[in-house]
Amino acid sequence: MADLSDCVIPHYERHAHAWDADRRRSVWNDKPWRDRFVAALPTGASVLDPGCGSGAPVALNMAVCGLAVTGVDASPSLISLCRQRTRGHQWVVGDMRSPPIRGRFDGVLAWDSFFHFTPGDQRRMFQVFAEHGRRQSILMFNAGPAHGEAIGNYRGDPLRHASLDPAEYGSLLDGIGFDVVAHAVEDREAGGRTVWLARSRA
């Protein structure tokens, strides 16, 4: 399974336009959590969106809400779609595990992206979150409900998913100075996603 983690970036580049079309056609069943994330931020807040995909509907909605979005994705095709749709924001081609940007943000949103990584890469992502958050910043990500790995399928290609144990996610958040604000397991209001929402203490 570990080898499949190396296939995630070329997978999304290969299927970029099909994935974008499928995402836009699907029901936006995770919007209540996106709205909660936006509501927790100050007016005009800056948001880092690692693994931003094509920007629709998530980044586009944040932009409409007046947030300043910086999106990072390893797929040039997906970033090109972001630039076409949402002008006046920053879109960067790069690996979200080591985003080629500097600065700190009021919010960090890693949605439908973080869970493709190996357990080791997921643990290291918390340092990325810490380095790009500022005091009282909001972090939201989704993961699996329990420790384990699974292989999904998209348009005939395998797609890897992994999760740490919930207790470890809580410990990692605490270790970078974030308090859990809300946590839901397989929430039906988020299309069955398991969600973590946290706020920085410092």
Side-chain angles (χ1 to χ4, degrees):
M1 282 196 220
D3 292 342
L4 285 177
S5 62
D6 297 327
C7 300
V8 171
I9 291 173
H11 172 95
Y12 276 101
E13 176 62 16
R14 182 166 57 254
H15 295 296
H17 292 279
W19 180 88
D20 172 63
D22 288 342
R23 182 68 166 114
R24 288 186 291 113
R25 278 194 297 265
S26 65
V27 176
W28 192 8
N29 56 13
D30 51 332
K31 191 174 187 297
W33 279 97
R34 306 304 187 110
D35 290 343
R36 189 168 182 175
F37 175 77
V38 170
L41 294 167
T43 301
S46 60
V47 174
L48 175 64
D49 186 357
C52 62
S54 65
V58 179
L60 179 59
N61 181 69
M62 291 194 291
V64 168
C65 290
L67 304 181
V69 183
T70 297
V72 178
D73 201 283
S75 165
S77 295
L78 291 174
I79 287 294
S80 177
L81 289 170
C82 289
R83 289 171 178 161
Q84 292 170 35
R85 290 177 177 146
T86 316
R87 301 183 185 278
H89 299 266
Q90 185 176 14
W91 307 108
V92 181
V93 176
D95 191 323
M96 63 183 278
R97 291 168 292 187
S98 53
I101 56 172
R102 295 183 179 179
R104 294 181 178 270
F105 298 81
D106 300 306
V108 179
L109 177 67
W111 198 258
D112 287 354
S113 54
F114 171 82
F115 53 41
H116 289 308
F117 296 143
T118 64
D121 279 343
Q122 288 193 28
R123 293 180 184 107
R124 285 185 284 274
M125 273 299 300
F126 284 83
Q127 190 56 43
V128 175
F129 296 152
E131 289 172 355
H132 290 87
R134 53 170 56 113
R135 186 175 182 275
Q136 295 293 297
S137 65
I138 301 297
L139 166 65
M140 191 167 78
F141 64 91
N142 60 321
H147 180 268
E149 301 184 27
I151 303 299
N153 183 284
Y154 182 73
R155 294 188 177 252
D157 282 351
L159 191 57
R160 181 182 186 278
H161 300 78
S163 180
L164 306 178
D165 185 84
E168 185 171 5
Y169 284 128
S171 177
L172 288 164
L173 285 166
D174 183 62
I176 61 169
F178 278 75
D179 293 323
V180 176
V181 174
H183 171 52
V185 178
E186 298 183 333
D187 187 356
R188 286 182 295 180
E189 289 193 355
R193 292 169 175 84
T194 294
V195 184
W196 293 84
L197 181 67
R199 183 187 296 274
S200 172
R201 296 190 293 266

